[in-house]
Amino acid sequence: MTSTGSDAGAGAAPDRTGDGDFTRALTRDSLLRLARREIAAIHVPGFCDRRIAEDVARKAVRHKALGNYHKKYTSTVGRVHMPHIDTAWNPELTARYHDAALPSIHEVRALFAPYLSPVDHVRLLLQECWPAGADLLRLRGRPCFVGALRVFHPTTSVFPPHNDRIEQETDAPEIAGVTEQLVANIYLQVPEEGGDLQLWRRDPTSAEARTILEVEGLDPATVEPPAHVIHPRAGDLIVFSSRMLHAVTPARGGHRVGMAAFIACKGPDEPLQYWS
Ligand SMILES: O=C(O)CCC(=O)C(=O)O
Ligand SMILES: [Fe+2]
Protein backbone atom coordinates (compact mmCIF):
# COMPACT_ATOMS: atom_id res chain seq x y z
CA MET A 1 0.00 0.00 0.00
CA THR A 2 1.37 3.39 -0.95
CA SER A 3 -0.87 5.55 1.20
CA THR A 4 -0.28 6.27 4.83
CA GLY A 5 -2.65 8.19 7.02
CA SER A 6 -2.29 10.10 10.23
CA ASP A 7 -5.12 11.53 12.24
CA ALA A 8 -5.70 15.23 11.66
CA GLY A 9 -7.10 15.82 15.12
CA ALA A 10 -9.61 14.86 17.77
CA GLY A 11 -13.17 14.18 16.75
CA ALA A 12 -12.26 12.55 13.43
CA ALA A 13 -14.79 10.12 12.00
CA PRO A 14 -13.87 6.52 12.87
CA ASP A 15 -12.31 5.29 9.63
CA ARG A 16 -11.30 8.53 7.95
CA THR A 17 -7.61 7.68 8.06
CA GLY A 18 -8.09 4.09 6.94
CA ASP A 19 -7.97 2.60 3.47
CA GLY A 20 -11.70 3.42 3.25
CA ASP A 21 -10.62 6.97 2.46
CA PHE A 22 -9.25 5.81 -0.91
CA THR A 23 -10.52 3.91 -3.88
CA ARG A 24 -8.18 2.18 -6.31
CA ALA A 25 -9.98 2.65 -9.63
CA LEU A 26 -11.36 5.55 -11.64
CA THR A 27 -15.01 4.48 -11.93
CA ARG A 28 -18.42 6.15 -11.95
CA ASP A 29 -18.92 5.22 -8.30
CA SER A 30 -15.52 6.42 -7.09
CA LEU A 31 -15.84 9.72 -8.99
CA LEU A 32 -19.30 10.38 -7.56
CA ARG A 33 -18.04 9.56 -4.07
CA LEU A 34 -15.03 11.85 -4.50
CA ALA A 35 -17.22 14.69 -5.78
CA ARG A 36 -19.41 14.24 -2.66
CA ARG A 37 -16.24 14.26 -0.50
CA GLU A 38 -17.00 10.80 0.89
CA ILE A 39 -13.46 9.69 0.09
CA ALA A 40 -10.16 11.59 0.23
CA ALA A 41 -8.78 10.45 -3.11
CA ILE A 42 -8.83 7.98 -5.95
CA HIS A 43 -5.36 6.44 -6.04
CA VAL A 44 -4.68 4.06 -8.93
CA PRO A 45 -1.19 2.54 -8.60
CA GLY A 46 0.36 1.66 -11.96
CA PHE A 47 -2.18 3.68 -14.00
CA CYS A 48 0.39 4.05 -16.76
CA ASP A 49 3.50 2.14 -17.77
CA ARG A 50 6.38 3.19 -15.58
CA ARG A 51 9.09 2.99 -18.24
CA ILE A 52 7.09 5.15 -20.66
CA ALA A 53 6.35 7.59 -17.82
CA GLU A 54 10.03 7.90 -16.89
CA ASP A 55 11.01 8.31 -20.52
CA VAL A 56 8.68 11.32 -20.88
CA ALA A 57 9.84 12.68 -17.50
CA ARG A 58 13.38 12.82 -18.88
CA LYS A 59 12.11 14.73 -21.94
CA ALA A 60 10.18 17.15 -19.68
CA VAL A 61 13.23 18.03 -17.60
CA ARG A 62 15.10 19.23 -20.72
CA HIS A 63 12.05 20.51 -22.66
CA LYS A 64 12.43 23.82 -24.50
CA ALA A 65 9.04 25.02 -23.20
CA LEU A 66 10.05 24.39 -19.57
CA GLY A 67 9.48 27.61 -17.65
CA ASN A 68 8.55 28.44 -14.09
CA TYR A 69 5.20 29.29 -12.59
CA HIS A 70 5.01 33.04 -12.27
CA LYS A 71 3.77 33.35 -8.71
CA LYS A 72 5.93 33.91 -5.67
CA TYR A 73 6.18 30.44 -4.10
CA THR A 74 5.15 28.16 -6.93
CA SER A 75 7.84 29.81 -9.07
CA THR A 76 10.20 27.21 -7.60
CA VAL A 77 8.32 24.63 -9.69
CA GLY A 78 8.93 24.23 -13.42
CA ARG A 79 6.16 23.50 -15.91
CA VAL A 80 6.05 22.63 -19.60
CA HIS A 81 3.55 24.91 -21.43
CA MET A 82 1.51 27.70 -19.92
CA PRO A 83 -1.06 26.78 -17.26
CA HIS A 84 -4.20 28.87 -16.77
CA ILE A 85 -3.07 30.27 -13.42
CA ASP A 86 -0.32 32.17 -15.23
CA THR A 87 -2.88 34.19 -17.20
CA ALA A 88 -3.03 36.30 -14.00
CA TRP A 89 -6.22 38.20 -15.05
CA ASN A 90 -4.22 39.80 -17.87
CA PRO A 91 -5.97 39.97 -21.29
CA GLU A 92 -2.75 39.56 -23.28
CA LEU A 93 -1.59 36.55 -21.25
CA THR A 94 -5.11 35.09 -21.49
CA ALA A 95 -5.05 35.42 -25.29
CA ARG A 96 -1.59 33.82 -25.38
CA TYR A 97 -2.81 30.94 -23.19
CA HIS A 98 -5.79 30.15 -25.44
CA ASP A 99 -3.76 30.55 -28.66
CA ALA A 100 -1.24 28.02 -27.38
CA ALA A 101 -3.82 25.61 -25.89
CA LEU A 102 -4.46 23.19 -28.76
CA PRO A 103 -0.88 23.16 -30.15
CA SER A 104 0.34 22.46 -26.58
CA ILE A 105 -2.17 19.61 -26.14
CA HIS A 106 -0.95 18.10 -29.41
CA GLU A 107 2.67 18.54 -28.42
CA VAL A 108 2.19 16.80 -25.05
CA ARG A 109 0.32 13.99 -26.81
CA ALA A 110 3.28 13.62 -29.19
CA LEU A 111 5.69 13.20 -26.27
CA PHE A 112 3.94 9.88 -25.53
CA ALA A 113 3.50 8.69 -29.11
CA PRO A 114 3.02 5.92 -30.17
CA TYR A 115 1.41 5.32 -26.75
CA LEU A 116 -1.72 6.94 -25.31
CA SER A 117 -0.86 9.91 -23.12
CA PRO A 118 -2.06 9.21 -19.55
CA VAL A 119 -3.87 12.55 -19.43
CA ASP A 120 -5.79 11.58 -22.58
CA HIS A 121 -6.58 8.25 -20.89
CA VAL A 122 -7.98 10.16 -17.89
CA ARG A 123 -10.05 12.34 -20.26
CA LEU A 124 -11.57 9.25 -21.87
CA LEU A 125 -12.39 7.65 -18.52
CA LEU A 126 -14.04 10.85 -17.27
CA GLN A 127 -16.11 11.02 -20.45
CA GLU A 128 -17.16 7.37 -20.09
CA CYS A 129 -17.73 7.31 -16.31
CA TRP A 130 -19.35 10.59 -15.35
CA PRO A 131 -23.16 10.48 -15.70
CA ALA A 132 -23.19 13.56 -18.00
CA GLY A 133 -19.79 12.92 -19.65
CA ALA A 134 -16.78 15.25 -19.73
CA ASP A 135 -15.32 17.91 -22.03
CA LEU A 136 -12.37 20.18 -22.46
CA LEU A 137 -13.09 23.46 -20.63
CA ARG A 138 -13.72 26.46 -22.86
CA LEU A 139 -13.55 29.95 -21.40
CA ARG A 140 -15.42 32.69 -23.31
CA GLY A 141 -15.71 30.05 -26.00
CA ARG A 142 -11.98 29.47 -26.35
CA PRO A 143 -10.41 26.05 -25.63
CA CYS A 144 -8.12 25.58 -22.63
CA PHE A 145 -4.86 23.67 -22.44
CA VAL A 146 -4.80 20.38 -20.53
CA GLY A 147 -1.84 18.17 -19.61
CA ALA A 148 0.69 20.48 -17.94
CA LEU A 149 3.90 18.69 -17.00
CA ARG A 150 5.22 19.90 -13.66
CA VAL A 151 8.89 19.58 -12.82
CA PHE A 152 9.86 19.76 -9.14
CA HIS A 153 13.60 20.32 -8.88
CA PRO A 154 15.47 18.33 -6.23
CA THR A 155 15.42 20.07 -2.81
CA THR A 156 14.37 23.53 -4.06
CA SER A 157 10.82 22.95 -5.36
CA VAL A 158 7.92 22.92 -2.96
CA PHE A 159 4.17 23.53 -3.02
CA PRO A 160 3.33 24.80 0.48
CA PRO A 161 -0.21 24.05 1.79
CA HIS A 162 -2.66 25.70 -0.64
CA ASN A 163 -5.81 25.07 -2.62
CA ASP A 164 -6.80 25.71 -6.24
CA ARG A 165 -10.09 27.24 -7.40
CA ILE A 166 -10.82 28.35 -10.95
CA GLU A 167 -13.10 31.18 -9.70
CA GLN A 168 -9.95 32.88 -8.44
CA GLU A 169 -8.45 32.88 -11.94
CA THR A 170 -11.33 33.95 -14.20
CA ASP A 171 -14.90 35.24 -14.23
CA ALA A 172 -15.74 33.67 -17.60
CA PRO A 173 -19.43 32.67 -17.77
CA GLU A 174 -18.59 28.98 -18.31
CA ILE A 175 -17.48 28.53 -14.71
CA ALA A 176 -20.81 29.58 -13.17
CA GLY A 177 -22.25 26.75 -11.09
CA VAL A 178 -19.01 24.91 -10.29
CA THR A 179 -19.64 23.07 -7.01
CA GLU A 180 -16.37 21.17 -6.66
CA GLN A 181 -12.94 21.22 -8.30
CA LEU A 182 -10.84 18.06 -8.52
CA VAL A 183 -7.31 17.59 -9.74
CA ALA A 184 -5.92 14.48 -11.43
CA ASN A 185 -2.16 14.01 -11.11
CA ILE A 186 -0.26 11.34 -13.00
CA TYR A 187 3.24 10.85 -11.64
CA LEU A 188 5.91 10.23 -14.23
CA GLN A 189 8.99 10.23 -12.02
CA VAL A 190 9.31 10.37 -8.23
CA PRO A 191 12.55 10.06 -6.27
CA GLU A 192 12.69 7.49 -3.46
CA GLU A 193 12.71 10.16 -0.81
CA GLY A 194 10.48 13.23 -0.44
CA GLY A 195 8.03 14.56 -3.00
CA ASP A 196 5.14 13.44 -0.80
CA LEU A 197 1.60 14.61 -1.47
CA GLN A 198 -0.07 15.86 1.73
CA LEU A 199 -3.86 16.04 1.88
CA TRP A 200 -6.11 17.76 4.39
CA ARG A 201 -9.82 17.01 4.51
CA ARG A 202 -10.92 20.62 4.66
CA ASP A 203 -11.08 23.88 2.74
CA PRO A 204 -8.90 26.71 4.00
CA THR A 205 -10.50 29.10 6.49
CA SER A 206 -11.25 32.57 5.10
CA ALA A 207 -8.08 33.94 6.75
CA GLU A 208 -6.02 31.09 5.22
CA ALA A 209 -7.67 31.67 1.85
CA ARG A 210 -6.56 35.31 1.94
CA THR A 211 -2.98 34.29 2.77
CA ILE A 212 -2.97 31.75 -0.06
CA LEU A 213 -4.10 34.42 -2.51
CA GLU A 214 -1.45 36.83 -1.26
CA VAL A 215 1.57 34.55 -1.01
CA GLU A 216 0.49 31.32 -2.76
CA GLY A 217 0.68 29.05 0.27
CA LEU A 218 0.59 28.67 4.04
CA ASP A 219 3.48 28.27 6.43
CA PRO A 220 3.19 24.52 7.32
CA ALA A 221 3.89 25.41 10.97
CA THR A 222 0.53 27.23 11.08
CA VAL A 223 -1.52 24.24 9.88
CA GLU A 224 -2.39 20.98 11.69
CA PRO A 225 -0.74 17.79 10.36
CA PRO A 226 -2.29 16.53 7.10
CA ALA A 227 -4.93 13.78 7.21
CA HIS A 228 -2.99 11.78 4.59
CA VAL A 229 0.56 11.66 3.30
CA ILE A 230 1.07 9.77 0.06
CA HIS A 231 4.39 8.94 -1.53
CA PRO A 232 3.36 8.43 -5.16
CA ARG A 233 5.25 6.09 -7.48
CA ALA A 234 5.99 6.64 -11.14
CA GLY A 235 2.92 5.57 -13.12
CA ASP A 236 0.39 6.29 -10.34
CA LEU A 237 -2.76 8.37 -10.79
CA ILE A 238 -4.16 10.32 -7.83
CA VAL A 239 -7.37 12.38 -8.03
CA PHE A 240 -8.44 14.59 -5.13
CA SER A 241 -10.31 17.82 -4.35
CA SER A 242 -8.13 20.80 -5.24
CA ARG A 243 -10.47 23.03 -3.21
CA MET A 244 -9.21 21.34 -0.06
CA LEU A 245 -5.77 22.07 1.36
CA HIS A 246 -2.88 20.08 -0.15
CA ALA A 247 0.90 20.39 -0.38
CA VAL A 248 3.99 18.76 -1.89
CA THR A 249 7.15 18.24 0.18
CA PRO A 250 10.62 18.74 -1.37
CA ALA A 251 11.95 15.84 -3.46
CA ARG A 252 15.38 14.54 -2.47
CA GLY A 253 17.95 13.18 -4.85
CA GLY A 254 16.15 13.65 -8.17
CA HIS A 255 13.44 15.45 -10.12
CA ARG A 256 9.78 14.79 -9.39
CA VAL A 257 7.71 15.05 -12.57
CA GLY A 258 3.92 14.94 -12.73
CA MET A 259 1.12 15.71 -15.16
CA ALA A 260 -1.90 17.56 -13.86
CA ALA A 261 -5.44 18.24 -15.01
CA PHE A 262 -8.01 20.20 -13.03
CA ILE A 263 -11.61 19.01 -13.26
CA ALA A 264 -14.61 21.27 -12.60
CA CYS A 265 -17.74 19.58 -11.33
CA LYS A 266 -21.24 21.10 -11.51
CA GLY A 267 -23.09 18.02 -10.23
CA PRO A 268 -23.86 14.68 -11.92
CA ASP A 269 -26.26 16.21 -14.46
CA GLU A 270 -23.63 18.48 -16.02
CA PRO A 271 -20.50 17.37 -17.91
CA LEU A 272 -17.17 17.57 -16.08
CA GLN A 273 -14.76 20.09 -17.62
CA TYR A 274 -11.00 19.71 -17.49
CA TRP A 275 -8.01 22.01 -18.10
CA SER A 276 -4.51 22.85 -16.89
O1 LIG B 1 2.08 17.24 -7.56
C1 LIG B 1 1.23 16.92 -6.73
O2 LIG B 1 1.31 15.86 -6.09
C2 LIG B 1 0.04 17.82 -6.47
C3 LIG B 1 0.32 19.25 -6.83
C4 LIG B 1 -0.82 20.21 -6.70
O3 LIG B 1 -0.78 21.12 -5.90
C5 LIG B 1 -2.00 20.12 -7.59
O4 LIG B 1 -2.06 19.23 -8.44
O5 LIG B 1 -2.90 20.97 -7.47
FE1 LIG C 1 -2.52 22.43 -6.03
Side-chain angles (χ1 to χ4, degrees):
M1 199 170 79
T2 50
S3 307
T4 51
S6 65
D7 206 305
D15 79 339
R16 55 175 287 214
T17 60
D19 204 37
D21 267 4
F22 298 89
T23 61
R24 302 291 175 201
L26 189 56
T27 61
R28 172 189 163 101
D29 183 59
S30 65
L31 270 175
L32 286 167
R33 290 180 65 198
L34 184 64
R36 290 195 298 261
R37 297 191 169 185
E38 292 168 9
I39 53 172
I42 299 170
H43 181 182
V44 188
F47 179 75
C48 71
D49 185 278
R50 201 172 166 155
R51 280 158 314 162
I52 297 163
E54 288 178 341
D55 212 44
V56 173
R58 278 190 290 275
K59 292 187 208 170
V61 170
R62 50 185 166 73
H63 198 284
K64 62 178 181 342
L66 179 64
N68 281 355
Y69 280 88
H70 289 164
K71 296 287 182 72
K72 203 165 168 182
Y73 280 87
T74 49
S75 66
T76 62
V77 178
R79 82 288 188 283
V80 176
H81 299 304
M82 184 179 183
H84 189 268
I85 190 159
D86 281 348
T87 58
W89 294 94
N90 174 310
E92 273 162 41
L93 293 174
T94 302
R96 195 187 300 170
Y97 168 81
H98 289 292
D99 287 345
L102 294 181
S104 302
I105 288 175
H106 300 157
E107 211 269 336
V108 172
R109 184 169 293 147
L111 287 175
F112 287 89
Y115 305 104
L116 176 67
S117 131
V119 91
D120 287 346
H121 190 183
V122 168
R123 291 172 63 174
L124 290 169
L125 290 171
L126 296 176
Q127 184 192 49
E128 293 158 13
C129 292
W130 190 252
D135 278 320
L136 184 64
L137 177 66
R138 284 171 167 75
L139 293 173
R140 299 198 160 84
R142 306 202 60 193
C144 290
F145 169 53
V146 65
L149 290 148
R150 293 188 182 137
V151 177
F152 293 74
H153 301 283
T155 323
T156 55
S157 290
V158 55
F159 271 175
H162 71 282
N163 71 338
D164 306 284
R165 296 181 69 116
I166 185 69
E167 314 86 291
Q168 292 167 346
E169 299 174 23
T170 178
D171 55 8
E174 289 92 337
I175 62 154
V178 174
T179 54
E180 176 61 306
Q181 181 171 328
L182 308 176
V183 63
N185 274 277
I186 301 125
Y187 299 90
L188 303 183
Q189 179 179 305
V190 188
E192 282 297 309
E193 222 192 301
D196 293 341
L197 171 65
Q198 301 179 320
L199 299 177
W200 285 261
R201 293 295 300 272
R202 66 172 180 91
D203 289 24
T205 63
S206 46
E208 287 172 336
R210 279 194 298 277
T211 307
I212 292 167
L213 277 180
E214 274 162 31
V215 294
E216 284 286 301
L218 303 173
D219 176 352
T222 67
V223 189
E224 76 280 7
H228 295 286
V229 180
I230 306 171
H231 184 75
R233 298 188 166 276
D236 287 8
L237 165 71
I238 304 182
V239 193
F240 58 91
S241 165
S242 73
R243 283 188 170 187
M244 292 204 251
L245 285 175
H246 56 281
V248 180
T249 66
R252 311 239 171 255
H255 287 94
R256 177 191 193 269
V257 183
M259 264 186 130
F262 289 111
I263 304 161
C265 173
K266 299 180 179 175
D269 299 333
E270 293 284 333
L272 298 173
Q273 292 166 304
Y274 42 75
W275 77 96
S276 291

